[in-house]
Amino acid sequence: MGAGDGARTGFERYLRLLGVPARPPGLAALAELTSAHLSRVPFENVSKLLHRRDPAMRLPPLERWLDGIERHRFGGTCYANNSRLGELLAHLGYEVRLCGADMSRPDVHVVNVVRLDGREYLVDVGYGAPFHAPLALDANAPQEVELGADRYVLHPRDDAGRSRMDLVRDGRLRHGYSVNPAPRSIGEFAGVIEESFAGSASFMNALVIVRHAPGRSLALRNMSLVESEGLMHRRTLVATHVDELPEVAETRFGMPRTLVRLALVGVDPSRDVWS
C-alpha cells in the first residue's frame, strides 16, 4: 500500500467515525460534516495532558488521533481538531485553507476558511463552540450563535479582511479571536503548539471537555459540569477533589477513568485559569 492509499484509508476511517458518507462539496454537506464533528469529536485537553511528555504527540499522527476518538472518546484542541478536519475537507474536494487567529497573542488559535460558490465560510470545531453550521465571513451584519449562557458574535470583516469572533458569557465579554485571512500550514504553528505544552500553559493546568449536539451541549470545566439546552443551562459542582473527576469523565463523556486519572497527575483543576 502506498502513502496515498494509507491517507485515503485514514480519511475513510475518519468519515466512518463521524458517521457521515462522502458527498460532493456543498454547503449542506459541509454543515453535516461540521455538526457530526462536534457531536463525535469533543473539544478536550485530557489527551493533551496524557501525552504531554511525548514529543511525538504534540500533533498526533492521523491514525493515532483517530485511535483516540474510537477507543477512548478523545478529540483534541484547535490544533488537532481543526487541522485534521481541514485535511479531510481538502480530501473531499473542498477549497479550504488553514488560518491563524489572534487571541491574547498572535496566531495562538487555528480555524478553517472554506470557499464555496464564491463565498467564504468560517469552520471552527476547535473552540468548544456550537458552530454546527458554517458562518459566512462576507456578511454585512454580525451573526450570533447562542446556547445556554453563551452568545458567540461573528462581526463583519474589517478593512484588512480580518473577522472577529466574540464570546459573551452571562452577559460579559469573556473571550474571542480575530481571524487572519492568510493561508498557513500547520507546521508553521509548531512553536505555538510546543508552548501550549509548557508547565505554565492554560491547558496544562485545567480540565476541559466539551461535547455538542444540535441545540445542546455538555461541558466539564474543572470541577463544574455545565449542561446547556436552547437558552437554558445548569451548572453543577460535580467534584471537590481532583480524584473525583475521572469518574465524571467516564460516566458523562465515556472516557476511560484510568487514562483520565493518569492525565490529571500533577494537575490542580480547583481554580479557573481563564478567570
Side-chain angles (χ1 to χ4, degrees):
M1 180 184 293
D5 293 331
R8 183 167 58 253
T9 300
F11 290 129
E12 290 171 353
R13 181 187 180 193
Y14 196 166
L15 287 170
R16 176 176 59 79
L17 291 177
L18 294 182
V20 175
R23 303 188 194 279
L27 190 56
L30 180 59
E32 181 183 40
L33 278 166
T34 304
S35 186
H37 209 288
L38 290 175
S39 299
R40 302 290 184 92
V41 184
F43 176 82
E44 54 82 21
N45 72 326
V46 174
S47 57
K48 193 177 183 81
L49 287 166
L50 186 65
H51 299 300
R52 61 188 181 272
R53 295 179 181 86
D54 183 357
M57 294 295 283
R58 293 300 188 248
L59 184 68
L62 178 60
E63 286 297 331
R64 291 191 67 179
W65 183 68
L66 294 175
D67 285 345
I69 296 169
E70 185 167 27
R71 298 175 184 176
H72 309 312
R73 305 291 298 277
F74 288 163
T77 57
C78 68
Y79 307 117
N81 287 4
N82 277 330
S83 68
R84 293 305 183 199
L85 177 59
E87 292 168 357
L88 176 63
L89 293 176
H91 171 76
L92 293 172
Y94 286 89
E95 184 180 343
V96 55
R97 66 182 188 269
L98 188 72
C99 295
D102 301 345
M103 290 181 171
S104 58
R105 294 188 297 135
D107 285 334
V108 292
H109 183 53
V110 296
V111 302
N112 288 301
V113 174
V114 178
R115 187 172 183 81
L116 273 172
D117 300 323
R119 303 190 69 185
E120 291 193 331
Y121 297 88
L122 174 69
V123 174
D124 185 355
V125 295
Y127 192 51
F131 300 153
H132 289 273
L135 295 167
L137 289 170
D138 59 356
N140 294 322
Q143 300 169 78
E144 297 188 2
V145 177
E146 291 187 88
L147 182 63
D150 295 343
R151 180 165 59 93
Y152 299 86
V153 184
L154 178 63
H155 298 277
R157 283 171 165 164
D158 63 18
D159 292 340
R162 289 162 50 89
S163 303
R164 174 72 190 174
M165 174 68 73
D166 286 333
L167 164 58
V168 178
R169 176 170 293 157
D170 296 319
R172 294 173 50 210
L173 179 62
R174 294 292 302 271
H175 206 264
Y177 61 81
S178 295
V179 180
N180 299 310
R184 306 285 296 278
S185 70
I186 191 60
E188 295 177 67
F189 296 90
V192 173
I193 294 172
E194 184 64 33
E195 289 176 7
S196 73
F197 283 88
S200 59
S202 295
F203 282 127
M204 294 294 100
N205 293 279
L207 173 65
V208 59
I209 310 171
V210 184
R211 189 180 296 276
H212 289 282
R216 65 184 190 276
S217 70
L218 187 66
L220 181 62
R221 298 189 180 98
N222 292 330
M223 305 292 194
S224 295
L225 188 72
V226 181
E227 300 170 88
S228 301
E229 184 165 0
L231 298 181
M232 306 296 292
H233 75 283
R234 179 175 64 185
R235 188 185 308 272
T236 307
L237 184 68
V238 291
T240 57
H241 192 276
V242 65
D243 291 345
E244 301 171 73
L245 290 171
E247 181 179 358
V248 177
E250 183 175 83
T251 57
R252 300 308 302 267
F253 296 91
M255 295 181 178
R257 69 181 67 190
T258 53
L259 294 183
V260 178
R261 185 174 295 111
L262 283 174
L264 291 175
V265 170
V267 178
D268 177 13
S270 63
R271 61 188 182 90
D272 185 354
V273 297
W274 292 287
S275 292

